[in-house]
Amino acid sequence: KLKIHSKSATEFQSFFENIMEKAFDGFRKIPSGGGDGGNDGWIRSIGRYYQVYSPDLPTIKDSDAANKLKEDFDKLLIN
């Protein structure tokens, strides 16, 4: 629990990717940099995509997080 709450935005995404790569053989991370098309990682064999949202300021409003989720999901559908 402490490791999750102590991570910054980019550190949290790397933390997530490391866990997923160890837990699932088929997990592939997508290089970040703003052009990931709403996809932060996926498991091709089961058609599962992951979105990681870790804002720089963890006090962000839930509604902002929900909007980001919708925007990324829409991008994922298009791409």
Side-chain angles (χ1 to χ4, degrees), residues 4-61:
I4 291 172
H5 290 285
S6 68
K7 304 291 183 202
S8 71
T10 53
E11 290 173 332
F12 181 80
Q13 183 157 347
S14 294
F15 181 69
F16 166 81
E17 291 167 347
N18 290 335
I19 290 170
M20 293 300 289
E21 286 177 325
K22 288 179 175 107
F24 300 99
D25 289 334
F27 178 79
R28 299 293 176 256
K29 63 183 176 183
I30 305 297
S32 59
D36 60 17
N39 179 12
D40 294 314
W42 65 312
I43 301 174
R44 183 180 197 154
S45 62
I46 59 175
R48 185 172 293 161
Y49 296 83
Y50 297 88
Q51 297 172 323
V52 177
Y53 181 58
S54 51
D56 290 322
L57 299 172
T59 57
I60 195 160
K61 296 177 190 172

Side-chain angles (χ1 to χ4, degrees), residues 58-69:
T59 57
I60 195 160
K61 296 177 190 172
D62 289 344
S63 60
D64 292 342
N67 287 336
K68 174 73 170 132
L69 173 67

